[in-house]
Amino acid sequence: MPSGFVIRKNQYYDSVFLMGISKRIADVPGVQRNAVLMGSETNKRLLADIDICDPQIDAAQPNDLVVAVIAETQQIVNDVLRRLDEFLLGGVQVASTSNPHSFEEGLAQKSNANLAVISVPGEYAAREARKALEAGLNVFLFSDNVSIDEELDLKQFAAEKKLLVMGPDCGTSLIGGIGIGFANVVRKGSIGAIGAAGTGLQEFTSQVHNAGFGISHAIGTGGHDLSDQIGGLTTLAALEALEADPATRVITIISKPPGTKTLARLIERFKTCTKPIIGCFLGAPAKPHETGANFQCAPTIDEAVWLAIRALGGEPDSNKADFSTEERQWIGREKASWSPEQKYVRGIFAGGTFCYQSQQIFRDAGILVYSNAPLEAKNKLRDSDQSLEHTFVDMGSDEYTLGKPHPMIDGTLRKQRILTESRDPQIAILLLDFILGYNASMDPVGELFDAILEARQNVKKRGGNLTVVASVCGTDGDPQDLNLQIKLLKEAGAIVFRSNAKAASFCCELLK
Amino acid sequence: MESKINELLQGPIIVINLGLQKFAESLEAQKVEVVQVDWVPPAGGDKEMLDLLERLL
Amino acid sequence: MDIKQRIEKANEEATRRLISGEPVLVDIVPAREVIPGMRDKMITHAGPPIEWSRMCGAMQGAIIGMVLFEGWAKTPDEARKLLDKGEIRLEPNHHHQTVGPMAGTISPSLPLWVVENKAFGNRANCRQVEGAQQFGDYSDGALQGLRMWRDVWAPTLRKALHTIGGLDLKPIITKALQMGDELHNRHTASSSLFANQMAVAIAQTEYTNKDAVIGTLKYITNHELLFLGLAMAAGKAIADPARDIEYSTIVTAMCRNGVEFGIRVSGLGDEWFTAPAPVVDGLYMPGYSAEDAGLDMGDSAITETVGWGGFVIGGAPGILSLVGGTPEEALNYSREMKKITVGAHPIYRMPILGFAGAPIGIDIRLVVQSNVAPIIDTAIAHKDPGYPKIGAGLVRAPLECFKKALIAFSKKYSA
């Protein structure tokens, strides 16, 4: 039987430790016997007993390590002896009880990681993202306050390395059914999505789910990706990946309008895409973009959902855009309840996309709306805290969230604003959005419930009625109980829609 | 060769989460393998050192 | 190769050298015989260079003690005058392949442990460890300990050592680390393993003076920090071959003079990168408190430089009180040191951490990046001259040293 040995001079190990090493060597396939011992006289006799004899072994000292292996082939013997350090060192890393504190330490724990989710302060975010890219990981960059230059730099580097940078300021992605960041529980399917805004993607994916269809992947890009400075680097990478992805059959892109150059570049790319593409560029002028054989435009997220389903050969409920008879009856009932000075709608939004999409719907209905995040600069509120006529406030904008929790996580900011609005005698409609899903508040309606009741009470005291219109973005699979959230809203007297577009349209109907 | 992006799409995704613990928890709830990094600013936030480290480490 | 690769390669080599050290005690000799630069009226001290006037109280006291010990002055006042006039040459131990605990003071006639690193053939020296003079106590009682060492213990041990032709320290260190020593503040196991070996050697040796033999046996069997001097000499002998490797960012020395903390880095030659010596977070002997304490002092951080001391404190439950009292705290220090080192020692291991190797090879880049400074467990001297050891505790190397070194490194190698 082939055998061999090595002697390490002056390498003392405890005998119990060496027994452990011996056991590990014994587990190597083909190893018959082995001895891992210090060179004491007793031990040398043990070696002789298994026919391992050599003048070098006779000369070994009690502080010398002797390792002998008997195996089926000489190659196994040599291999084990060559790998001795692995056996001696292996499996005895200093185990850590606390979490790692740096990307490198994290990577050391999961060297096969393929995605870094980064939510560190913006000033450090680009460095961490770059480290992740260097290590070959895709990046989901939730952090904001990353400069355009840094973003471009990261995205160019990612393009070189054929990696994806979702973000910065990316709130939502769904990869193969897994929600990252703020995401709803959505069934898997064949609709792919690329989105600049988190709530836009949440609304789209939830509605696809609620319509009985599913999402392959929804890839967040961050809000600046389609600007001409960035040139849609992530959108293009995502498009290529979704085109190559066997699970995806149709691709929807949801964003604010792209920069002129970037739009041209996108449309050029769409022409060669082998899968149908639906573009939903919120806030874009009402006239349709250039379309092509495989490129259609949707003015709202709802319509993007319908187009995507149609592209799969499905048929969404044809009356989706219309209001039910019951809903139509509510319009008359609500309007009749207002006192003469009640004229305006106040939208107090948690989701930026919802604020934006609602403005577009009002614009297209010919109603002027002011906002802290307006479609056009001329409609910007002079003071974000002071509503003017019809006003939609994005409570998730930086001015409100600096050092305070985002309204999707905590209702405090919106609660205060709702009560303030209710003291304005001209308010007729309160338009709200509620967003469910991972990482959002576990009880978004409950947090505002008392404020809604109190607001309605305030208006009632003045002899009028506050019409509360709400949309809920979520699915029956979300960690929050969707039905309970809707039930609570109805208890608070709200008219509830499952889409923001529909809630906003309903408000337009109320104002006609 | 498959791009790393498509490898990601095909899954399983394996995540290093830097920062918000909630994000790691929500991934774990979805049975995703995730390492939570309790991130602290490298070099204690010393920008001069960060620049040096970028070149040297 | 880009600079990062060069650094990695250089650090790999530095760590390989640190790991492959083979320390053997080869002699016990008066300083003037083994320190080439040692002259009459010269005293070497711990830490980076410092002049007499800036020295802390404990180091001044220790130096006064050495002047008296050598008979260069009759009284402490006389000694002080000589020193004030600059008539005694003062140089750092580290500039002479030598280290010393606390004030670390060494004068020409003081016998030193001489350790040879057989893997590289270099030698390093350290003075013996005691609890009085090196802390700044220059009383006659304190000096009596030095005289006994010079006249009785050292010569007796030397003779026995020659009988056995040197003593391999690596097995002692390996076993001691598995017996609850961390080789900076706890040397109970190593001292006794050393005493066992020397007792046999003494028995094999011809002596004429039986009292000297018994006195020496009593000394080595009752001195719980005896091995610290040997561990430090071994540490220095292990660290020196890792010096002067171009592009290496590995620390090759950490030491303190009671005023400044200094480090040396392999790729940065002889330069010391210093910062004010930190305050030790400590426990005190009866009658003393933090108000009495001097700042961090001694060359003993050479033990941490080669991966012992604070780096393996998780394996030393006997001194848990130093680290706050719970085993978990001690283990966490060892885990934390893993973050700033590039290797694990294959032989020096900690059973309590699943036989994990001692963290070795401190990389200044990792220190700066992680903001985690090396942890050192150390003794505390009084702020004023004339006192023995007053306590022990934990201290972090100042990050500033590592930042300064990183800046210097970048300047040297970016051009």
Side-chain angles (χ1 to χ4, degrees):
Chain A
M1 189 76 68
S3 68
F5 67 90
V6 290
I7 296 174
R8 296 272 183 93
K9 295 297 282 178
N10 207 13
Q11 284 199 6
Y12 172 82
Y13 293 96
D14 185 87
S15 62
V16 177
F17 177 78
L18 292 179
M19 285 190 257
I21 304 298
S22 175
K23 185 164 178 287
R24 296 200 359 233
I25 292 176
D27 290 341
V28 175
V31 169
Q32 294 295 320
R33 303 192 72 160
N34 78 88
V36 186
L37 302 165
M38 300 312 294
S40 69
E41 290 309 316
T42 323
N43 288 343
K44 286 193 268 190
R45 277 198 295 277
L46 290 174
L47 288 165
D49 289 347
I50 59 168
D51 289 329
I52 302 287
C53 302
D54 193 276
Q56 282 186 62
I57 290 179
D58 296 340
Q61 296 296 304
N63 285 323
D64 299 342
L65 174 69
V66 184
V67 180
V69 178
I70 303 171
E72 284 162 11
T73 66
Q74 194 61 45
Q75 202 192 325
I76 296 171
V77 171
N78 296 346
D79 188 52
V80 168
L81 295 176
R82 188 175 44 77
R83 286 167 52 213
L84 184 56
D85 280 327
E86 281 174 44
F87 289 107
L88 289 170
L89 279 174
V92 287
Q93 290 297 314
V94 177
S96 172
T97 50
S98 68
N99 286 334
H101 294 293
S102 68
F103 172 74
E104 291 83 353
E105 289 169 44
L107 186 63
Q109 282 190 21
K110 279 242 193 297
S111 54
N112 58 344
N114 52 17
L115 177 68
V117 174
I118 299 174
S119 53
V120 306
E123 55 184 318
Y124 303 105
R127 281 178 206 271
E128 299 297 330
R130 194 165 176 98
K131 280 195 273 186
L133 292 170
E134 276 171 1
L137 275 74
N138 297 288
V139 170
F140 178 97
L141 188 49
F142 177 77
S143 312
D144 54 5
N145 290 319
V146 174
S147 74
I148 282 278
D149 288 345
E150 285 174 321
E151 178 173 351
L152 182 61
D153 200 46
L154 284 176
K155 288 184 170 179
Q156 283 171 340
F157 185 56
E160 260 172 54
K161 302 212 43 158
K162 300 253 174 253
L163 290 165
L164 193 61
V165 175
M166 298 175 263
D169 206 5
C170 179
T172 303
S173 282
L174 271 170
I175 305 294
I178 303 294
I180 302 161
F182 293 84
N184 302 91
V185 178
V186 172
R187 88 173 59 73
K188 281 212 225 179
S190 37
I191 299 176
I194 301 168
T199 43
L201 274 183
Q202 284 194 271
E203 178 84 337
F204 179 80
T205 55
S206 294
Q207 288 201 38
V208 165
H209 175 92
N210 294 338
F213 290 78
I215 296 290
S216 57
H217 313 284
I219 298 170
T221 65
H224 300 295
D225 191 64
L226 290 179
S227 69
D228 282 339
Q229 288 136 299
I230 305 295
L233 286 170
T234 296
T235 303
L236 290 166
L239 190 64
E240 190 176 322
L242 291 177
E243 189 180 8
D245 174 49
T248 304
R249 286 171 54 204
V250 52
I251 301 165
T252 307
I253 299 177
I254 302 158
S255 169
K256 287 183 185 175
T260 326
K261 278 190 243 165
T262 307
L263 180 63
R265 195 173 161 197
L266 276 183
I267 285 173
E268 213 43 49
R269 176 66 182 80
F270 293 164
K271 285 179 187 160
T272 63
C273 187
T274 53
K275 294 176 180 174
I277 292 172
I278 293 136
C280 172
F281 298 125
L282 295 171
K287 73 172 174 55
H289 289 287
E290 180 191 338
T291 53
N294 62 346
F295 174 49
Q296 289 174 279
C297 266
T300 62
I301 292 170
D302 291 22
E303 286 183 57
V305 172
W306 305 333
L307 287 177
I309 291 172
R310 278 207 193 95
L312 294 178
E315 195 49 50
D317 184 350
S318 56
N319 288 325
K320 274 230 150 178
D322 294 331
F323 296 107
S324 64
T325 321
E326 190 189 15
E327 285 162 349
R328 295 228 161 260
Q329 285 167 354
W330 292 340
I331 294 171
R333 184 193 72 192
E334 292 296 315
K335 288 177 79 146
S337 70
W338 297 343
S339 59
E341 72 268 26
Q342 283 189 272
K343 283 189 281 196
Y344 298 122
V345 58
R346 299 287 156 82
I348 310 300
F349 293 96
T353 302
F354 296 144
C355 181
Y356 209 75
Q357 178 173 257
S358 301
Q359 289 180 65
Q360 178 193 295
I361 288 164
F362 269 61
R363 180 197 65 192
D364 294 349
I367 305 170
L368 171 72
V369 178
Y370 294 94
S371 176
N372 62 334
L375 294 188
E376 293 168 73
K378 66 179 168 60
N379 298 334
K380 189 167 168 60
L381 281 176
R382 226 168 295 153
D383 176 354
S384 300
D385 292 332
Q386 194 68 52
S387 294
L388 179 67
E389 299 175 6
H390 300 300
T391 290
F392 290 162
V393 190
D394 176 5
M395 296 300 290
S397 71
D398 292 347
E399 59 187 313
Y400 288 113
T401 54
L402 204 70
K404 294 206 181 96
H406 193 281
M408 274 171 71
I409 300 171
D410 183 303
T412 310
L413 283 170
R414 285 218 289 175
K415 203 152 76 180
Q416 289 158 357
R417 184 66 181 244
I418 287 168
L419 292 176
T420 308
E421 296 297 341
S422 74
R423 287 179 206 111
D424 181 344
Q426 294 188 309
I427 185 171
I429 308 167
L430 177 65
L431 175 58
L432 299 171
D433 59 340
F434 293 91
I435 303 160
L436 312 186
Y438 286 118
N439 294 305
S441 161
M442 281 309 287
D443 185 13
V445 175
E447 284 178 358
L448 296 193
F449 188 84
D450 288 343
I452 294 170
L453 288 187
E454 193 180 332
R456 294 189 62 214
Q457 197 58 35
N458 287 344
V459 178
K460 203 167 189 176
K461 275 188 224 152
R462 293 194 300 265
N465 176 47
L466 179 63
T467 301
V468 180
V469 179
S471 65
V472 178
C473 169
T475 73
D476 50 11
D478 283 335
Q480 301 85 353
D481 185 335
L482 172 71
N483 288 327
L484 184 68
Q485 293 291 310
I486 292 173
K487 188 165 161 266
L488 266 177
L489 271 175
K490 286 180 176 165
E491 269 173 36
I495 297 166
V496 185
F497 294 93
R498 298 290 296 280
S499 116
N500 157 260
K502 208 155 181 194
S505 301
F506 187 77
C507 294
C508 292
E509 294 296 318
L510 282 167
L511 293 170
K512 266 181 194 164
Chain B
M1 198 190 76
E2 189 112 47
S3 86
K4 290 237 174 150
I5 303 176
N6 283 95
E7 274 177 36
L8 178 77
L9 298 190
Q10 263 157 39
I13 66 171
I14 300 166
V15 174
I16 297 178
N17 184 54
L18 264 68
L20 294 175
Q21 171 110 32
K22 274 177 70 147
F23 284 1
E25 286 165 4
S26 68
L27 288 164
E28 273 166 359
Q30 299 173 80
K31 311 253 185 301
V32 173
E33 252 187 81
V34 51
V35 187
Q36 167 63 19
V37 173
D38 293 339
W39 189 87
V40 290
D46 184 329
K47 289 284 158 64
E48 184 191 0
M49 289 299 135
L50 282 173
D51 287 341
L52 291 183
L53 288 171
E54 207 152 282
R55 284 191 289 113
L56 301 176
L57 183 62
Chain C
M1 246 193 326
D2 73 7
I3 185 160
K4 291 182 189 180
Q5 290 167 315
R6 282 176 200 274
I7 294 171
E8 295 306 326
K9 210 162 162 270
N11 287 351
E12 223 169 84
E13 173 61 15
T15 308
R16 187 195 68 78
R17 294 189 195 178
L18 288 173
I19 283 173
S20 48
E22 301 273 346
V24 176
L25 177 65
V26 291
D27 216 340
I28 305 161
V29 193
R32 69 161 65 82
E33 293 177 34
V34 282
I35 297 183
M38 184 56 95
R39 298 182 245 166
D40 271 345
K41 300 266 173 79
M42 172 164 150
I43 293 168
T44 59
H45 61 82
I50 184 166
E51 59 275 24
W52 166 252
S53 59
R54 281 207 307 132
M55 281 179 180
C56 67
M59 190 173 274
Q60 287 194 336
I63 285 176
I64 290 168
M66 293 319 286
V67 172
L68 296 171
F69 169 73
E70 290 290 345
W72 298 332
K74 292 271 178 290
T75 67
D77 278 350
E78 261 182 58
R80 211 176 258 287
K81 273 182 199 134
L82 283 178
L83 288 155
D84 287 342
K85 280 192 278 180
E87 291 189 10
I88 313 287
R89 193 173 170 82
L90 302 172
E91 289 184 17
N93 290 326
H94 265 287
H95 293 186
H96 300 276
Q97 293 82 48
T98 299
V99 283
M102 297 310 292
T105 50
I106 292 167
S107 62
S109 70
L110 188 74
L112 306 180
W113 304 110
V114 182
V115 170
E116 181 169 323
N117 182 345
K118 293 283 184 188
F120 298 89
N122 63 299
R123 290 186 174 197
N125 320 298
C126 183
R127 58 163 284 173
Q128 102 283 19
V129 170
E130 41 80 53
Q133 182 273 331
Q134 66 180 346
F135 287 83
D137 182 355
Y138 49 79
S139 66
D140 198 56
L143 300 184
Q144 183 55 26
L146 296 193
R147 290 192 280 264
M148 286 301 289
W149 165 251
R150 179 189 62 193
D151 301 334
V152 181
W153 304 329
T156 305
L157 288 169
R158 184 184 196 192
K159 204 167 179 205
L161 188 65
H162 287 171
T163 304
I164 56 170
L167 180 63
D168 201 340
L169 300 180
K170 198 171 162 187
I172 295 179
I173 291 167
T174 309
K175 290 171 194 170
L177 287 172
Q178 300 188 12
M179 294 166 76
D181 281 4
E182 41 62 271
L183 298 174
H184 190 159
N185 265 289
R186 190 179 198 274
H187 282 279
T188 313
S190 51
S191 297
S192 117
L193 290 170
F194 174 76
N196 286 348
Q197 303 255 20
M198 290 311 294
V200 175
I202 287 170
Q204 291 172 293
T205 307
E206 295 282 330
Y207 290 102
T208 50
N209 184 344
K210 196 176 176 191
D211 287 346
V213 172
I214 292 169
T216 303
L217 279 168
K218 282 185 178 166
Y219 172 70
I220 62 171
T221 52
N222 285 294
H223 187 346
E224 291 212 330
L225 286 169
L226 178 70
F227 198 78
L228 175 56
L230 290 139
M232 286 177 61
K236 178 68 176 159
I238 289 167
D240 274 351
R243 291 181 60 191
D244 297 320
I245 300 170
E246 286 286 289
Y247 284 97
S248 173
T249 55
I250 298 296
V251 173
T252 55
M254 295 194 288
C255 62
R256 316 83 94 196
N257 57 30
V259 176
E260 281 162 340
F261 191 112
I263 67 166
R264 270 176 169 171
V265 175
S266 181
L268 294 172
D270 291 340
E271 193 171 350
W272 289 103
F273 301 96
T274 62
V279 174
V280 180
D281 182 14
L283 300 171
Y284 292 89
M285 308 273 204
Y288 296 102
S289 74
E291 284 172 30
D292 303 311
L295 301 174
D296 191 21
M297 184 171 75
D299 290 329
S300 54
I302 194 71
T303 57
E304 277 82 8
T305 310
V306 298
W308 307 328
F311 285 46
V312 288
I313 201 163
I319 52 169
L320 277 181
S321 50
L322 276 189
V323 298
T326 72
E328 202 47 42
E329 282 169 285
L331 290 172
N332 279 337
Y333 283 120
S334 290
R335 292 187 181 112
E336 200 184 21
M337 292 305 105
K338 191 92 192 109
K339 294 185 180 188
I340 58 170
T341 47
V342 299
H345 202 288
I347 318 275
Y348 302 144
R349 299 189 183 224
M350 293 171 280
I352 196 156
L353 283 162
F355 281 94
I360 192 163
I362 303 166
D363 184 343
I364 56 168
R365 300 173 306 163
L366 297 178
V367 171
V368 171
Q369 188 197 38
S370 65
N371 223 29
V372 169
I375 186 87
I376 297 163
D377 65 293
T378 190
I380 303 173
H382 203 284
K383 64 184 175 189
D384 297 322
Y387 294 88
K389 176 176 175 176
I390 68 162
L394 279 184
V395 70
R396 295 269 187 183
L399 283 165
E400 193 187 335
C401 300
F402 299 85
K403 290 186 176 186
K404 281 181 176 171
L406 193 64
I407 292 168
F409 187 93
S410 157
K411 278 189 187 138
K412 177 171 174 186
Y413 290 105
S414 296

